[in-house]
PDB file of all heavy atoms in Angstrom:
ATOM      1  N   ASP A   1     -26.833   6.015  -3.327  1.00 90.00           N
ATOM      2  CA  ASP A   1     -25.642   5.278  -2.904  1.00 90.00           C
ATOM      3  C   ASP A   1     -25.933   3.791  -2.768  1.00 90.00           C
ATOM      4  O   ASP A   1     -25.079   2.951  -3.052  1.00 90.00           O
ATOM      5  CB  ASP A   1     -25.118   5.822  -1.568  1.00 90.00           C
ATOM      6  CG  ASP A   1     -24.503   7.202  -1.694  1.00 90.00           C
ATOM      7  OD1 ASP A   1     -24.241   7.633  -2.838  1.00 90.00           O
ATOM      8  OD2 ASP A   1     -24.277   7.835  -0.655  1.00 90.00           O
ATOM      9  N   GLU A   2     -27.137   3.451  -2.334  1.00 92.00           N
ATOM     10  CA  GLU A   2     -27.505   2.046  -2.131  1.00 92.00           C
ATOM     11  C   GLU A   2     -27.556   1.273  -3.442  1.00 92.00           C
ATOM     12  O   GLU A   2     -27.480   0.048  -3.461  1.00 92.00           O
ATOM     13  CB  GLU A   2     -28.869   1.936  -1.443  1.00 92.00           C
ATOM     14  CG  GLU A   2     -28.921   2.526  -0.055  1.00 92.00           C
ATOM     15  CD  GLU A   2     -29.117   4.037  -0.059  1.00 92.00           C
ATOM     16  OE1 GLU A   2     -29.757   4.570  -0.985  1.00 92.00           O
ATOM     17  OE2 GLU A   2     -28.619   4.676   0.872  1.00 92.00           O
ATOM     18  N   ASP A   3     -27.692   1.994  -4.569  1.00 89.00           N
ATOM     19  CA  ASP A   3     -27.805   1.341  -5.873  1.00 89.00           C
ATOM     20  C   ASP A   3     -26.453   1.043  -6.520  1.00 89.00           C
ATOM     21  O   ASP A   3     -26.393   0.397  -7.561  1.00 89.00           O
ATOM     22  CB  ASP A   3     -28.623   2.210  -6.828  1.00 89.00           C
ATOM     23  CG  ASP A   3     -30.054   2.382  -6.344  1.00 89.00           C
ATOM     24  OD1 ASP A   3     -30.533   1.498  -5.600  1.00 89.00           O
ATOM     25  OD2 ASP A   3     -30.665   3.399  -6.697  1.00 89.00           O
ATOM     26  N   ILE A   4     -25.375   1.516  -5.925  1.00 87.00           N
ATOM     27  CA  ILE A   4     -24.049   1.300  -6.505  1.00 87.00           C
ATOM     28  C   ILE A   4     -23.566  -0.099  -6.144  1.00 87.00           C
ATOM     29  O   ILE A   4     -23.606  -0.512  -4.985  1.00 87.00           O
ATOM     30  CB  ILE A   4     -23.049   2.363  -6.000  1.00 87.00           C
ATOM     31  CG1 ILE A   4     -23.550   3.753  -6.386  1.00 87.00           C
ATOM     32  CG2 ILE A   4     -21.658   2.109  -6.567  1.00 87.00           C
ATOM     33  CD1 ILE A   4     -22.754   4.884  -5.792  1.00 87.00           C
ATOM     34  N   ASP A   5     -23.104  -0.826  -7.144  1.00 89.00           N
ATOM     35  CA  ASP A   5     -22.637  -2.203  -6.952  1.00 89.00           C
ATOM     36  C   ASP A   5     -21.118  -2.204  -6.784  1.00 89.00           C
ATOM     37  O   ASP A   5     -20.376  -1.899  -7.703  1.00 89.00           O
ATOM     38  CB  ASP A   5     -23.025  -3.060  -8.161  1.00 89.00           C
ATOM     39  CG  ASP A   5     -22.544  -4.486  -8.040  1.00 89.00           C
ATOM     40  OD1 ASP A   5     -22.247  -4.929  -6.903  1.00 89.00           O
ATOM     41  OD2 ASP A   5     -22.462  -5.159  -9.073  1.00 89.00           O
ATOM     42  N   PHE A   6     -20.668  -2.529  -5.579  1.00 88.00           N
ATOM     43  CA  PHE A   6     -19.240  -2.582  -5.288  1.00 88.00           C
ATOM     44  C   PHE A   6     -18.706  -4.014  -5.277  1.00 88.00           C
ATOM     45  O   PHE A   6     -17.559  -4.245  -4.913  1.00 88.00           O
ATOM     46  CB  PHE A   6     -18.953  -1.957  -3.916  1.00 88.00           C
ATOM     47  CG  PHE A   6     -19.250  -0.495  -3.843  1.00 88.00           C
ATOM     48  CD1 PHE A   6     -20.374  -0.032  -3.185  1.00 88.00           C
ATOM     49  CD2 PHE A   6     -18.398   0.423  -4.427  1.00 88.00           C
ATOM     50  CE1 PHE A   6     -20.654   1.318  -3.118  1.00 88.00           C
ATOM     51  CE2 PHE A   6     -18.666   1.784  -4.365  1.00 88.00           C
ATOM     52  CZ  PHE A   6     -19.794   2.233  -3.710  1.00 88.00           C
ATOM     53  N   SER A   7     -19.499  -4.972  -5.706  1.00 89.00           N
ATOM     54  CA  SER A   7     -19.127  -6.380  -5.568  1.00 89.00           C
ATOM     55  C   SER A   7     -17.907  -6.771  -6.404  1.00 89.00           C
ATOM     56  O   SER A   7     -17.209  -7.722  -6.064  1.00 89.00           O
ATOM     57  CB  SER A   7     -20.312  -7.277  -5.935  1.00 89.00           C
ATOM     58  OG  SER A   7     -20.629  -7.091  -7.308  1.00 89.00           O
ATOM     59  N   ASP A   8     -17.625  -6.052  -7.493  1.00 91.00           N
ATOM     60  CA  ASP A   8     -16.485  -6.434  -8.321  1.00 91.00           C
ATOM     61  C   ASP A   8     -15.177  -5.782  -7.864  1.00 91.00           C
ATOM     62  O   ASP A   8     -14.123  -6.036  -8.432  1.00 91.00           O
ATOM     63  CB  ASP A   8     -16.754  -6.089  -9.789  1.00 91.00           C
ATOM     64  CG  ASP A   8     -17.024  -4.618 -10.007  1.00 91.00           C
ATOM     65  OD1 ASP A   8     -17.382  -3.940  -9.028  1.00 91.00           O
ATOM     66  OD2 ASP A   8     -16.884  -4.155 -11.146  1.00 91.00           O
ATOM     67  N   ILE A   9     -15.234  -4.957  -6.817  1.00 91.00           N
ATOM     68  CA  ILE A   9     -14.020  -4.331  -6.287  1.00 91.00           C
ATOM     69  C   ILE A   9     -13.442  -5.262  -5.223  1.00 91.00           C
ATOM     70  O   ILE A   9     -14.116  -5.598  -4.247  1.00 91.00           O
ATOM     71  CB  ILE A   9     -14.330  -2.959  -5.675  1.00 91.00           C
ATOM     72  CG1 ILE A   9     -14.952  -2.048  -6.728  1.00 91.00           C
ATOM     73  CG2 ILE A   9     -13.077  -2.335  -5.080  1.00 91.00           C
ATOM     74  CD1 ILE A   9     -15.444  -0.733  -6.187  1.00 91.00           C
ATOM     75  N   PRO A  10     -12.198  -5.692  -5.389  1.00 91.00           N
ATOM     76  CA  PRO A  10     -11.625  -6.610  -4.394  1.00 91.00           C
ATOM     77  C   PRO A  10     -11.419  -5.909  -3.048  1.00 91.00           C
ATOM     78  O   PRO A  10     -11.068  -4.735  -2.997  1.00 91.00           O
ATOM     79  CB  PRO A  10     -10.286  -7.031  -5.010  1.00 91.00           C
ATOM     80  CG  PRO A  10      -9.972  -5.972  -5.988  1.00 91.00           C
ATOM     81  CD  PRO A  10     -11.257  -5.387  -6.458  1.00 91.00           C
ATOM     82  N   LYS A  11     -11.642  -6.644  -1.989  1.00 89.00           N
ATOM     83  CA  LYS A  11     -11.431  -6.091  -0.651  1.00 89.00           C
ATOM     84  C   LYS A  11      -9.941  -6.116  -0.330  1.00 89.00           C
ATOM     85  O   LYS A  11      -9.232  -7.057  -0.671  1.00 89.00           O
ATOM     86  CB  LYS A  11     -12.179  -6.908   0.391  1.00 89.00           C
ATOM     87  CG  LYS A  11     -13.666  -6.787   0.260  1.00 89.00           C
ATOM     88  CD  LYS A  11     -14.351  -7.463   1.409  1.00 89.00           C
ATOM     89  CE  LYS A  11     -15.829  -7.483   1.139  1.00 89.00           C
ATOM     90  NZ  LYS A  11     -16.595  -6.622   1.921  1.00 89.00           N
ATOM     91  N   ILE A  12      -9.471  -5.071   0.320  1.00 89.00           N
ATOM     92  CA  ILE A  12      -8.077  -5.008   0.751  1.00 89.00           C
ATOM     93  C   ILE A  12      -7.987  -5.671   2.116  1.00 89.00           C
ATOM     94  O   ILE A  12      -8.661  -5.270   3.063  1.00 89.00           O
ATOM     95  CB  ILE A  12      -7.585  -3.554   0.824  1.00 89.00           C
ATOM     96  CG1 ILE A  12      -7.660  -2.910  -0.551  1.00 89.00           C
ATOM     97  CG2 ILE A  12      -6.173  -3.492   1.389  1.00 89.00           C
ATOM     98  CD1 ILE A  12      -7.316  -1.445  -0.572  1.00 89.00           C
ATOM     99  N   THR A  13      -7.167  -6.695   2.191  1.00 91.00           N
ATOM    100  CA  THR A  13      -6.998  -7.399   3.465  1.00 91.00           C
ATOM    101  C   THR A  13      -5.563  -7.335   3.957  1.00 91.00           C
ATOM    102  O   THR A  13      -5.296  -7.580   5.125  1.00 91.00           O
ATOM    103  CB  THR A  13      -7.401  -8.876   3.322  1.00 91.00           C
ATOM    104  OG1 THR A  13      -6.637  -9.470   2.267  1.00 91.00           O
ATOM    105  CG2 THR A  13      -8.884  -9.000   3.003  1.00 91.00           C
ATOM    106  N   ASP A  14      -4.631  -7.007   3.054  1.00 91.00           N
ATOM    107  CA  ASP A  14      -3.218  -6.946   3.436  1.00 91.00           C
ATOM    108  C   ASP A  14      -2.782  -5.479   3.462  1.00 91.00           C
ATOM    109  O   ASP A  14      -2.607  -4.842   2.430  1.00 91.00           O
ATOM    110  CB  ASP A  14      -2.367  -7.732   2.434  1.00 91.00           C
ATOM    111  CG  ASP A  14      -0.889  -7.680   2.774  1.00 91.00           C
ATOM    112  OD1 ASP A  14      -0.538  -7.329   3.919  1.00 91.00           O
ATOM    113  OD2 ASP A  14      -0.084  -7.981   1.874  1.00 91.00           O
ATOM    114  N   PHE A  15      -2.616  -4.944   4.653  1.00 91.00           N
ATOM    115  CA  PHE A  15      -2.210  -3.557   4.815  1.00 91.00           C
ATOM    116  C   PHE A  15      -0.723  -3.442   5.150  1.00 91.00           C
ATOM    117  O   PHE A  15      -0.260  -2.374   5.546  1.00 91.00           O
ATOM    118  CB  PHE A  15      -3.037  -2.895   5.920  1.00 91.00           C
ATOM    119  CG  PHE A  15      -4.503  -2.818   5.592  1.00 91.00           C
ATOM    120  CD1 PHE A  15      -5.385  -3.777   6.046  1.00 91.00           C
ATOM    121  CD2 PHE A  15      -4.989  -1.784   4.822  1.00 91.00           C
ATOM    122  CE1 PHE A  15      -6.732  -3.710   5.740  1.00 91.00           C
ATOM    123  CE2 PHE A  15      -6.337  -1.706   4.506  1.00 91.00           C
ATOM    124  CZ  PHE A  15      -7.204  -2.669   4.965  1.00 91.00           C
ATOM    125  N   SER A  16       0.033  -4.493   4.978  1.00 91.00           N
ATOM    126  CA  SER A  16       1.438  -4.494   5.392  1.00 91.00           C
ATOM    127  C   SER A  16       2.300  -3.523   4.584  1.00 91.00           C
ATOM    128  O   SER A  16       3.304  -3.040   5.086  1.00 91.00           O
ATOM    129  CB  SER A  16       2.018  -5.909   5.290  1.00 91.00           C
ATOM    130  OG  SER A  16       1.995  -6.339   3.937  1.00 91.00           O
ATOM    131  N   ARG A  17       1.916  -3.235   3.344  1.00 88.00           N
ATOM    132  CA  ARG A  17       2.729  -2.341   2.521  1.00 88.00           C
ATOM    133  C   ARG A  17       2.277  -0.884   2.606  1.00 88.00           C
ATOM    134  O   ARG A  17       2.860  -0.015   1.972  1.00 88.00           O
ATOM    135  CB  ARG A  17       2.692  -2.809   1.069  1.00 88.00           C
ATOM    136  CG  ARG A  17       3.347  -4.198   0.905  1.00 88.00           C
ATOM    137  CD  ARG A  17       3.327  -4.710  -0.497  1.00 88.00           C
ATOM    138  NE  ARG A  17       3.845  -3.731  -1.442  1.00 88.00           N
ATOM    139  CZ  ARG A  17       3.499  -3.671  -2.727  1.00 88.00           C
ATOM    140  NH1 ARG A  17       2.636  -4.528  -3.199  1.00 88.00           N
ATOM    141  NH2 ARG A  17       4.002  -2.768  -3.507  1.00 88.00           N
ATOM    142  N   PHE A  18       1.246  -0.615   3.400  1.00 89.00           N
ATOM    143  CA  PHE A  18       0.779   0.755   3.562  1.00 89.00           C
ATOM    144  C   PHE A  18       1.795   1.536   4.391  1.00 89.00           C
ATOM    145  O   PHE A  18       2.386   1.009   5.327  1.00 89.00           O
ATOM    146  CB  PHE A  18      -0.573   0.768   4.273  1.00 89.00           C
ATOM    147  CG  PHE A  18      -1.732   0.490   3.364  1.00 89.00           C
ATOM    148  CD1 PHE A  18      -1.643  -0.427   2.342  1.00 89.00           C
ATOM    149  CD2 PHE A  18      -2.928   1.150   3.535  1.00 89.00           C
ATOM    150  CE1 PHE A  18      -2.716  -0.691   1.510  1.00 89.00           C
ATOM    151  CE2 PHE A  18      -4.001   0.903   2.720  1.00 89.00           C
ATOM    152  CZ  PHE A  18      -3.904  -0.014   1.696  1.00 89.00           C
ATOM    153  N   ILE A  19       1.978   2.789   4.035  1.00 85.00           N
ATOM    154  CA  ILE A  19       2.874   3.652   4.805  1.00 85.00           C
ATOM    155  C   ILE A  19       2.124   4.933   5.168  1.00 85.00           C
ATOM    156  O   ILE A  19       1.251   5.372   4.428  1.00 85.00           O
ATOM    157  CB  ILE A  19       4.166   3.990   4.025  1.00 85.00           C
ATOM    158  CG1 ILE A  19       3.818   4.637   2.681  1.00 85.00           C
ATOM    159  CG2 ILE A  19       5.016   2.763   3.822  1.00 85.00           C
ATOM    160  CD1 ILE A  19       5.027   5.151   1.937  1.00 85.00           C
ATOM    161  N   PRO A  20       2.482   5.543   6.293  1.00 88.00           N
ATOM    162  CA  PRO A  20       1.808   6.779   6.676  1.00 88.00           C
ATOM    163  C   PRO A  20       2.092   7.899   5.667  1.00 88.00           C
ATOM    164  O   PRO A  20       3.203   8.025   5.156  1.00 88.00           O
ATOM    165  CB  PRO A  20       2.411   7.120   8.032  1.00 88.00           C
ATOM    166  CG  PRO A  20       3.117   5.900   8.485  1.00 88.00           C
ATOM    167  CD  PRO A  20       3.444   5.095   7.278  1.00 88.00           C
ATOM    168  N   GLY A  21       1.102   8.689   5.371  1.00 88.00           N
ATOM    169  CA  GLY A  21       1.267   9.769   4.401  1.00 88.00           C
ATOM    170  C   GLY A  21       1.774  11.059   5.006  1.00 88.00           C
ATOM    171  O   GLY A  21       2.305  11.914   4.310  1.00 88.00           O
ATOM    172  N   LYS A  22       1.636  11.241   6.320  1.00 89.00           N
ATOM    173  CA  LYS A  22       1.988  12.512   6.940  1.00 89.00           C
ATOM    174  C   LYS A  22       3.428  12.934   6.679  1.00 89.00           C
ATOM    175  O   LYS A  22       3.660  14.102   6.345  1.00 89.00           O
ATOM    176  CB  LYS A  22       1.693  12.472   8.429  1.00 89.00           C
ATOM    177  CG  LYS A  22       1.910  13.824   9.102  1.00 89.00           C
ATOM    178  CD  LYS A  22       1.434  13.818  10.516  1.00 89.00           C
ATOM    179  CE  LYS A  22       1.653  15.088  11.270  1.00 89.00           C
ATOM    180  NZ  LYS A  22       2.356  16.153  10.705  1.00 89.00           N
ATOM    181  N   PRO A  23       4.421  12.069   6.804  1.00 89.00           N
ATOM    182  CA  PRO A  23       5.789  12.528   6.531  1.00 89.00           C
ATOM    183  C   PRO A  23       5.968  13.048   5.099  1.00 89.00           C
ATOM    184  O   PRO A  23       6.671  14.040   4.875  1.00 89.00           O
ATOM    185  CB  PRO A  23       6.644  11.279   6.756  1.00 89.00           C
ATOM    186  CG  PRO A  23       5.839  10.436   7.687  1.00 89.00           C
ATOM    187  CD  PRO A  23       4.418  10.697   7.340  1.00 89.00           C
ATOM    188  N   ARG A  24       5.309  12.415   4.149  1.00 90.00           N
ATOM    189  CA  ARG A  24       5.408  12.895   2.769  1.00 90.00           C
ATOM    190  C   ARG A  24       4.768  14.261   2.613  1.00 90.00           C
ATOM    191  O   ARG A  24       5.288  15.140   1.941  1.00 90.00           O
ATOM    192  CB  ARG A  24       4.743  11.919   1.812  1.00 90.00           C
ATOM    193  CG  ARG A  24       5.525  10.659   1.602  1.00 90.00           C
ATOM    194  CD  ARG A  24       4.874   9.825   0.547  1.00 90.00           C
ATOM    195  NE  ARG A  24       5.662   8.643   0.284  1.00 90.00           N
ATOM    196  CZ  ARG A  24       5.290   7.680  -0.501  1.00 90.00           C
ATOM    197  NH1 ARG A  24       4.138   7.742  -1.120  1.00 90.00           N
ATOM    198  NH2 ARG A  24       6.053   6.638  -0.690  1.00 90.00           N
ATOM    199  N   PHE A  25       3.589  14.434   3.230  1.00 94.00           N
ATOM    200  CA  PHE A  25       2.917  15.723   3.139  1.00 94.00           C
ATOM    201  C   PHE A  25       3.723  16.822   3.818  1.00 94.00           C
ATOM    202  O   PHE A  25       3.782  17.952   3.338  1.00 94.00           O
ATOM    203  CB  PHE A  25       1.511  15.650   3.734  1.00 94.00           C
ATOM    204  CG  PHE A  25       0.572  14.815   2.917  1.00 94.00           C
ATOM    205  CD1 PHE A  25      -0.117  13.769   3.475  1.00 94.00           C
ATOM    206  CD2 PHE A  25       0.372  15.079   1.571  1.00 94.00           C
ATOM    207  CE1 PHE A  25      -0.989  12.999   2.727  1.00 94.00           C
ATOM    208  CE2 PHE A  25      -0.488  14.319   0.797  1.00 94.00           C
ATOM    209  CZ  PHE A  25      -1.172  13.269   1.387  1.00 94.00           C
ATOM    210  N   ASP A  26       4.344  16.489   4.953  1.00 93.00           N
ATOM    211  CA  ASP A  26       5.181  17.477   5.634  1.00 93.00           C
ATOM    212  C   ASP A  26       6.359  17.886   4.752  1.00 93.00           C
ATOM    213  O   ASP A  26       6.695  19.071   4.671  1.00 93.00           O
ATOM    214  CB  ASP A  26       5.697  16.924   6.961  1.00 93.00           C
ATOM    215  CG  ASP A  26       4.590  16.788   8.000  1.00 93.00           C
ATOM    216  OD1 ASP A  26       3.514  17.396   7.822  1.00 93.00           O
ATOM    217  OD2 ASP A  26       4.814  16.069   8.990  1.00 93.00           O
ATOM    218  N   ALA A  27       6.971  16.905   4.082  1.00 93.00           N
ATOM    219  CA  ALA A  27       8.094  17.206   3.195  1.00 93.00           C
ATOM    220  C   ALA A  27       7.636  18.050   2.007  1.00 93.00           C
ATOM    221  O   ALA A  27       8.327  19.001   1.603  1.00 93.00           O
ATOM    222  CB  ALA A  27       8.749  15.911   2.710  1.00 93.00           C
ATOM    223  N   MET A  28       6.476  17.740   1.456  1.00 95.00           N
ATOM    224  CA  MET A  28       5.951  18.523   0.334  1.00 95.00           C
ATOM    225  C   MET A  28       5.635  19.947   0.777  1.00 95.00           C
ATOM    226  O   MET A  28       5.913  20.910   0.058  1.00 95.00           O
ATOM    227  CB  MET A  28       4.690  17.869  -0.239  1.00 95.00           C
ATOM    228  CG  MET A  28       4.982  16.622  -1.032  1.00 95.00           C
ATOM    229  SD  MET A  28       3.565  15.707  -1.703  1.00 95.00           S
ATOM    230  CE  MET A  28       2.159  16.666  -1.413  1.00 95.00           C
ATOM    231  N   ARG A  29       5.067  20.095   1.968  1.00 95.00           N
ATOM    232  CA  ARG A  29       4.734  21.418   2.484  1.00 95.00           C
ATOM    233  C   ARG A  29       6.009  22.253   2.645  1.00 95.00           C
ATOM    234  O   ARG A  29       6.050  23.429   2.278  1.00 95.00           O
ATOM    235  CB  ARG A  29       4.011  21.277   3.820  1.00 95.00           C
ATOM    236  CG  ARG A  29       3.461  22.572   4.355  1.00 95.00           C
ATOM    237  CD  ARG A  29       2.680  22.398   5.664  1.00 95.00           C
ATOM    238  NE  ARG A  29       1.575  21.462   5.533  1.00 95.00           N
ATOM    239  CZ  ARG A  29       1.523  20.282   6.153  1.00 95.00           C
ATOM    240  NH1 ARG A  29       2.485  19.890   6.949  1.00 95.00           N
ATOM    241  NH2 ARG A  29       0.493  19.483   5.982  1.00 95.00           N
ATOM    242  N   GLU A  30       7.048  21.651   3.177  1.00 96.00           N
ATOM    243  CA  GLU A  30       8.321  22.359   3.352  1.00 96.00           C
ATOM    244  C   GLU A  30       8.921  22.752   2.009  1.00 96.00           C
ATOM    245  O   GLU A  30       9.411  23.862   1.827  1.00 96.00           O
ATOM    246  CB  GLU A  30       9.296  21.468   4.141  1.00 96.00           C
ATOM    247  CG  GLU A  30      10.639  22.098   4.395  1.00 96.00           C
ATOM    248  CD  GLU A  30      10.566  23.334   5.280  1.00 96.00           C
ATOM    249  OE1 GLU A  30       9.568  23.511   6.005  1.00 96.00           O
ATOM    250  OE2 GLU A  30      11.511  24.142   5.234  1.00 96.00           O
ATOM    251  N   HIS A  31       8.876  21.839   1.050  1.00 96.00           N
ATOM    252  CA  HIS A  31       9.390  22.138  -0.289  1.00 96.00           C
ATOM    253  C   HIS A  31       8.608  23.293  -0.914  1.00 96.00           C
ATOM    254  O   HIS A  31       9.202  24.234  -1.463  1.00 96.00           O
ATOM    255  CB  HIS A  31       9.294  20.902  -1.179  1.00 96.00           C
ATOM    256  CG  HIS A  31       9.596  21.168  -2.615  1.00 96.00           C
ATOM    257  ND1 HIS A  31      10.879  21.367  -3.077  1.00 96.00           N
ATOM    258  CD2 HIS A  31       8.781  21.311  -3.683  1.00 96.00           C
ATOM    259  CE1 HIS A  31      10.829  21.612  -4.372  1.00 96.00           C
ATOM    260  NE2 HIS A  31       9.569  21.579  -4.772  1.00 96.00           N
ATOM    261  N   ASN A  32       7.290  23.244  -0.820  1.00 96.00           N
ATOM    262  CA  ASN A  32       6.464  24.308  -1.390  1.00 96.00           C
ATOM    263  C   ASN A  32       6.742  25.644  -0.723  1.00 96.00           C
ATOM    264  O   ASN A  32       6.748  26.688  -1.378  1.00 96.00           O
ATOM    265  CB  ASN A  32       4.975  23.958  -1.279  1.00 96.00           C
ATOM    266  CG  ASN A  32       4.592  22.827  -2.192  1.00 96.00           C
ATOM    267  OD1 ASN A  32       5.287  22.527  -3.156  1.00 96.00           O
ATOM    268  ND2 ASN A  32       3.481  22.182  -1.884  1.00 96.00           N
ATOM    269  N   ARG A  33       6.968  25.624   0.588  1.00 96.00           N
ATOM    270  CA  ARG A  33       7.289  26.859   1.300  1.00 96.00           C
ATOM    271  C   ARG A  33       8.579  27.469   0.771  1.00 96.00           C
ATOM    272  O   ARG A  33       8.664  28.676   0.504  1.00 96.00           O
ATOM    273  CB  ARG A  33       7.407  26.589   2.799  1.00 96.00           C
ATOM    274  CG  ARG A  33       7.612  27.851   3.636  1.00 96.00           C
ATOM    275  CD  ARG A  33       7.890  27.515   5.096  1.00 96.00           C
ATOM    276  NE  ARG A  33       9.104  26.741   5.276  1.00 96.00           N
ATOM    277  CZ  ARG A  33      10.342  27.250   5.207  1.00 96.00           C
ATOM    278  NH1 ARG A  33      10.532  28.501   4.932  1.00 96.00           N
ATOM    279  NH2 ARG A  33      11.392  26.472   5.398  1.00 96.00           N
TER     280      ARG A  33
END
């Protein structure tokens, strides 16, 4: 793991557009049921 170069992956600093996944998973679970 120490040999993997992550330097070209941009760091995420803006989390404002992130949304919680739980409501989507709950809806998918209900649909599948």
Side-chain angles (χ1 to χ4, degrees):
D1 290 346
E2 297 82 30
D3 296 335
I4 301 172
D5 179 20
F6 295 105
S7 64
D8 59 340
I9 301 173
K11 292 187 188 252
I12 299 175
T13 56
D14 179 17
F15 296 96
S16 63
R17 296 179 51 207
F18 279 38
I19 56 173
K22 186 172 178 355
R24 287 186 177 174
F25 291 125
D26 290 343
M28 287 177 7
R29 188 177 303 113
E30 181 64 20
H31 171 75
N32 290 340
R33 185 187 62 76

